Amino acid sequence: MPIEVIILFISTVINTLLSIFIFRSQRDQVGLTYSIFVLFIAFWSLGLAFFLLETDLNKALLFANGYYIAAAGIPMLFLYFSLIFPEKRPPNSVVKTLIFGPVLLFFATLLIKKHFLIEEISVVAWGKDVILNQLHYIYYGCYFILFVLLAYYNLGKSYLTTQDRESRIRLKFIIIGTLISYTLGMVFNLFFPWIGNYQYIWLGPLFTLIMVVSIGYAVTKHHLFNIKVIATELTTFGLWIFILIRTLISETLQDQIINGGLLVIVVFFGILLIRGVIKEVRLRERMENLAEELATANARLRALDQQKTEFVSIASHQLRSPLTAIKGYSSMLLEGSFGKLSEKTHEAVDRIFQSSQRLVLIVEDFLNVSRIEQGRMKYDFSTFDFKELASRIVEEQRPVAEKKGLKLTFSAEKLKNYMIMADPGKVSQVVTNFIDNAVKYTPTGSIAAKLSRDNEKILLAISDTGIGITEETMPKLFDKFSRALDASKTNTGGTGLGLYVAKEIMKAHKGRVWAESPGEGKGSTFFIEFSGDSVK
Ligand code: ADP
């Protein structure tokens, strides 16, 4: 078999395989158009191969007409491709007719008049020579050049207008790859035959491989895995064909058996290999997609969280001034600034006052939380005596505790230095919150605040004989909005924010807070610890 024919057969096989692979892995209009485009190239090489092989000149004419039709399909599909690539809608039916019509017309003409393009075929020393109908061949050439130029116009326009970097790279690939193929192909397959040189007609399909590969690469670039799968498949199939040919041309039975056995093994492992690669690549793509989705979901959540914090902040600010007015006026009413109140009215106004006071505290907690989350919490550090601060707060809280029948005591290890570097306002907030909680969550018994110092650490422990903390509640105790299930039984107005704010405040002081409790109903102890630089 002449070498040209072998090359043409190989080109047919490669193009057919590529067409199948791309069609299988990329089932969109671009993938489909590309695979038909490659299939036309395969037909063209096949037609050329048979034309060269055929000794009957009548049949050779049929093959020649066949490959001229197949070749005419190449610019047709290229033009169509240029209209839909990278991601455009298919053109309307008028444009489609204009694109597909000429080839159909050409096909019909050849069916009626088989000598329309080729007047005569003759056998010569180097193969077959062809005498073309000059006028009709010029029509053919003009069609070819016009369609290719139109396609380049579309691709160039896409290249200039697209903003997407990825698409631009892909378009560049296509434009350069096809330009090389078309230039070489047109010289050897369109121009040479026109000037009477038919000798190099078989080179065309070889040149088109450049564009087939470059378009294929661009088309599947987003799904790079396909390239990997295709490479594996091509190599494996190549190996199969190679061993199959070896088996067929083996001269001895022994060789045939060895090669045949080898073929079975290679086919078996080849299938396993291809399946493995496909699976791995699919998995990776799925994971990449999932990671991408997760990242966007995360970003959205963060944005939502941010919005929520802002909302809480704005809402709390808006609540503050009317609340202050309610509190102020009810306090003035209670003090008799607007005249003496009857007992009933006094009781009602007192409720208003108590509730507004509670609301003020809740709003303050919300504001603190949003300040912490937005990183806007401001600290005013100074050096002061923690013992003095703690004992003062205990004194302040004592009336409330005594009103509930609870004993509240304060003690400190003597002769020790309790100076700390901290924000006194924020630290009082923490201590007040802990003592307030102890009072709230202790129905009967006592509360003891004990201050101690151990070298670099200052510790305030507030123990109560209250409801205690269960093991389940303990790990979430200092979380935002965290309240024990039965907390509302003892204290209905809580928000579950106090301990969270306290934790964050102490974190900013590089100190810490924690709680211990032997269990439900057995009381609890809350600790506030200053260490390191805060301790003076
Ligand atoms: P609130 O008291 O507004 O609910 P906190 O953040 O101050 O919010 O407290 C969170 C939860 O911790 C309370 O709801 C309660 O369940 C529990 N807790 C706090 N202090 C004590 C305590 N001294 N004894 C028992 N449980 C407590």
Side-chain angles (χ1 to χ4, degrees), residues 25-79:
S25 56
Q26 184 124 353
R27 297 206 170 172
D28 54 9
Q29 53 161 347
V30 170
L32 185 68
T33 310
Y34 173 72
S35 61
I36 299 177
F37 171 77
V38 180
L39 209 58
F40 267 79
I41 295 178
F43 280 134
W44 176 42
S45 343
L46 194 68
L48 271 167
F50 281 127
F51 165 77
L52 293 181
L53 269 183
E54 188 55 63
T55 45
D56 180 339
L57 291 183
N58 261 331
K59 281 189 189 157
L61 176 67
L62 282 185
F63 287 130
N65 279 343
Y67 74 67
Y68 271 111
I69 291 168
I74 297 171
M76 167 183 88
L77 285 155
F78 185 55
L79 179 59

Side-chain angles (χ1 to χ4, degrees), residues 437-438 440-441 464 468 477 482-484 487 494-499 524 526:
N437 272 350
K440 275 193 306 200
Y441 297 105
D464 63 52
L477 202 65
S482 159
R483 307 195 71 208
T495 52
L497 290 175
L499 290 185
S524 33
F526 280 75

Side-chain angles (χ1 to χ4, degrees), residues 77-96:
L77 285 155
F78 185 55
L79 179 59
Y80 187 73
F81 179 86
S82 74
L83 285 169
I84 56 168
F85 189 82
E87 272 133 25
K88 291 196 210 109
R89 289 159 168 283
N92 62 33
S93 47
V94 177
V95 179
K96 274 186 190 160

